C-alpha cells in the first residue's frame, strides 16, 4: 500500500499563534490531497482539496484566509492554521489517492492525523 | 449532493459473534463508490472494504463483507467472528465516480464494542 505521514502528530499552542501541519506521501506522488477536520465524537468533515501547482479548493464555510493550504510539491501539502483559537482545537487528517491499494480504483490513503489543542 | 446515514450510534457484540453495521446512502449519480473505514482510539483511519456501484458481487475482505443492496441504497458492513481488537469507530463513506480523486463524504459513524 501507499504511506502518508503527518507532522506533528500533536501540537499545543497559545491562542493567536499559527500552526503548520505537514502531510507527505512517502512512496508515491500525489497531485491531489484532501484535508479533513474531526471534532471529538464526530465524523470527518472535508475542509479543502489541495492541488499541486494551483490554489486549494475550500468547502463551504471554511475560511481560506484562516486555513492556508500550500501544495508545495508532488509529495507535500501543508495546512497552516493562522491566529488559532480554542475553537480550532480538533483532529486534522489528510489523505491522498493512490493506485497502490488492493483495489483497482484510486483508494484514498490517510495520514495518522494531527491533534491540535489551542489554549 | 450525496449523503451517508449511519443510524446506529453504538453497537455491542460478544467476541466470536457476527455483527452488522448499517449504512444507507443517497445520491442521484449512477457511478459511485462505497467505503468502510475503521478508526481506533489512536485516530488513524484504516480502510476496510470498497464496493463500486457497478460491482455485481458483494465485496469481501477476510472477515469483512459488504452487503450491497443497490435498490435500497444500503451498504451494510458485516464483521464475522468479532475480535476484541475490532472495538473501534466505524465510518461508512461515499465518493462519486470511480476514482479516488473524488472527495469522500462520511457518515456519523458507529462505535462498536466487542466484549469477551
Amino acid at each position: 500500500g501507499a504511506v502518508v505521514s503527518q507532522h506533528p502528530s500533536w501540537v499545543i499552542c497559545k491562542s493567536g499563534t499559527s500552526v503548520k501541519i505537514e502531510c507527505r506521501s512517502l512512496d508515491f506522488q500525489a497531485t491531489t490531497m484532501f484535508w479533513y477536520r474531526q471534532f471529538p465524537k464526530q465524523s470527518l468533515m472535508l475542509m479543502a482539496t489541495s492541488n499541486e501547482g494551483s490554489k486549494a479548493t475550500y468547502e463551504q464555510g471554511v475560511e481560506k484566509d484562516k486555513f492556508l493550504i500550500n501544495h508545495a510539491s508532488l509529495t507535500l501539502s501543508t495546512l497552516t492554521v493562522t491566529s488559532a483559537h480554542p475553537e480550532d482545537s480538533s483532529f486534522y487528517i489528510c489523505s491522498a489517492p493512490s493506485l497502490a491499494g488492493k483495489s483497482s480504483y484510486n483508494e484514498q490513503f490517510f495520514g495518522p492525523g494531527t491533534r491540535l489543542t489551542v489554549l | 449532493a450525496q449523503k451517508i446515514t449511519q443510524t446506529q450510534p453504538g453497537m455491542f457484540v460478544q467476541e466470536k459473534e457476527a455483527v452488522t453495521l448499517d449504512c444507507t446512502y443517497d445520491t442521484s449519480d449512477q457511478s459511485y463508490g462505497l467505503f468502510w473505514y475503521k478508526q481506533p482510539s489512536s485516530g488513524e483511519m484504516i480502510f476496510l472494504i470498497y464496493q463500486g456501484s457497478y460491482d455485481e458481487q458483494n465485496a469481501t475482505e477476510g472477515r469483512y463483507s459488504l452487503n450491497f443492496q443497490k435498490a435500497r441504497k444500503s451498504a451494510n458492513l458485516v464483521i464475522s467472528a468479532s475480535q476484541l481488537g475490532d472495538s473501534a469507530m466505524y465510518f461508512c463513506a461515499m465518493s462519486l465516480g470511480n476514482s479516488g480523486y473524488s472527495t469522500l463524504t462520511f457518515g456519523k459513524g458507529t462505535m462498536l464494542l466487542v466484549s469477551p
Side-chain angles (χ1 to χ4, degrees):
Chain A
V3 181
V4 175
S5 71
Q6 274 184 250
H7 178 78
S9 55
W10 60 270
V11 57
I12 302 173
C13 69
K14 291 183 179 180
S15 186
T17 60
S18 294
V19 174
K20 180 186 282 188
I21 302 170
E22 293 185 349
C23 177
R24 292 182 186 272
S25 55
L26 296 185
D27 49 3
F28 67 102
Q29 294 183 335
T31 57
T32 300
M33 290 183 174
F34 301 101
W35 286 96
Y36 296 84
R37 180 168 52 182
Q38 185 180 29
F39 291 109
K41 299 190 187 300
Q42 293 190 24
S43 186
L44 279 75
M45 296 298 292
L46 179 68
M47 296 177 67
T49 301
S50 174
N51 303 299
E52 192 270 336
S54 63
K55 292 183 179 179
T57 306
Y58 290 84
E59 295 300 299
Q60 195 172 11
V62 177
E63 300 174 58
K64 59 182 178 182
D65 294 331
K66 180 171 183 60
F67 299 99
L68 301 179
I69 291 174
N70 181 25
H71 203 130
S73 72
L74 288 172
T75 59
L76 173 63
S77 174
T78 59
L79 168 68
T80 301
V81 183
T82 63
S83 187
H85 290 285
E87 56 265 31
D88 298 323
S89 298
S90 187
F91 191 57
Y92 293 86
I93 312 177
C94 68
S95 72
S98 170
L99 282 169
K102 298 178 187 177
S103 305
S104 59
Y105 66 97
N106 269 315
E107 178 185 332
Q108 282 199 33
F109 291 87
F110 285 84
T114 297
R115 200 165 296 280
L116 170 64
T117 302
V118 185
L119 303 177
Chain B
Q2 62 269 33
K3 185 179 178 181
I4 294 286
T5 302
Q6 294 180 255
T7 58
Q8 306 155 313
M11 289 285 286
F12 290 91
V13 67
Q14 212 157 17
E15 202 177 4
K16 300 180 185 176
E17 290 186 348
V19 63
T20 298
L21 305 184
D22 295 341
C23 172
T24 58
Y25 61 92
D26 188 24
T27 180
S28 55
D29 284 54
Q30 297 301 309
S31 178
Y32 51 87
L34 297 159
F35 304 76
W36 277 93
Y37 287 88
K38 171 184 177 182
Q39 188 180 42
S41 56
S42 59
E44 60 183 312
M45 294 292 286
I46 302 169
F47 167 77
L48 296 178
I49 198 166
Y50 164 82
Q51 179 87 40
S53 59
Y54 295 118
D55 294 340
E56 295 185 349
Q57 289 194 331
N58 286 343
T60 59
E61 285 284 352
R63 295 186 298 113
Y64 305 108
S65 60
L66 197 151
N67 184 1
F68 182 45
Q69 298 193 31
K70 198 169 184 176
R72 292 185 177 183
K73 292 190 173 180
S74 73
N76 299 340
L77 176 70
V78 180
I79 305 175
S80 63
S82 298
Q83 301 173 356
L84 295 178
D86 293 334
S87 294
M89 196 73 169
Y90 288 79
F91 290 99
C92 179
M94 176 169 64
S95 69
L96 298 183
N98 55 11
S99 162
Y101 288 98
S102 177
T103 59
L104 284 172
T105 299
F106 286 87
K108 291 188 175 182
T110 296
M111 174 64 77
L112 175 67
L113 290 177
V114 181
S115 61

